[in-house]
Amino acid sequence: MDNVGVVVEDLDAAVGFFTELGMVVEGSASIEGPWADRTVGLDDIRSDIVMMRTPDGHGKLELTKYHAPALSGAGAENPPPNTLGLHRVMFAVDDLDDTLSRLRAHGAELLGEVAQYENTFRLCYLRGPAGIILALAEQIG
């Protein structure tokens, strides 16, 4: 897998959020033109993207802000975790409480509570930028 794409309304806020999570900006670009229209299957695309990578260099997240065409608004806003389709990305963290505290300063909302799975992980789900759901996992055993 090369990357996971997330469409956002506020690109700067999303970059700030994922930077706080430990991701690093790898590059950015403005995307438009016939090749982009043909690739995505939309007309007159104008967008900005920021590619972010995980600290270990193995994962990437492509954040996309569409200027045109207008966002479709398809689907429910802030869909629940059991919605069909791609709906969450999980990140391994060293200190779940500290990470959650830092992400809350960027608007993250805990969906349930921090829970422990046996003696191996502390886990939680939270809602981040553009309503996407993230999961955090801290290995404890």
Side-chain angles (χ1 to χ4, degrees):
M1 182 174 74
D2 183 69
N3 71 70
V4 173
V6 178
V7 176
V8 299
E9 290 185 86
D10 187 336
L11 192 56
D12 291 335
V15 168
F17 182 90
F18 288 104
T19 298
E20 190 66 50
L21 192 53
M23 297 189 82
V24 178
V25 173
E26 187 172 81
S28 62
S30 293
I31 306 296
E32 61 183 304
W35 71 270
D37 295 351
R38 287 192 308 273
T39 301
V40 179
L42 295 171
D43 293 325
D44 302 317
I45 288 176
R46 283 186 312 101
S47 66
D48 292 317
I49 66 167
V50 174
M51 187 66 73
M52 303 194 73
R53 73 176 153 69
T54 56
D56 64 7
H58 295 292
K60 293 188 221 174
L61 193 64
E62 179 183 299
L63 302 173
T64 303
K65 160 71 174 160
Y66 280 92
H67 301 286
L71 295 176
S72 71
E77 185 173 327
N78 296 329
N82 62 344
T83 300
L84 292 175
L86 181 65
H87 65 90
R88 74 130 174 95
V89 177
M90 179 175 276
F91 291 89
V93 298
D94 293 328
D95 183 335
L96 191 136
D97 295 322
D98 176 63
T99 303
L100 187 56
S101 175
R102 290 184 291 112
L103 294 179
R104 281 183 168 142
H106 289 268
E109 298 175 29
L110 196 59
L111 292 180
E113 58 187 62
V114 174
Q116 186 167 318
Y117 173 71
E118 298 180 350
N119 290 323
T120 55
F121 288 99
R122 293 181 68 228
L123 307 157
C124 70
Y125 274 37
L126 57 100
R127 194 171 306 279
I132 65 166
I133 296 172
L134 301 177
L136 302 178
E138 174 188 1
Q139 189 169 0
I140 56 174

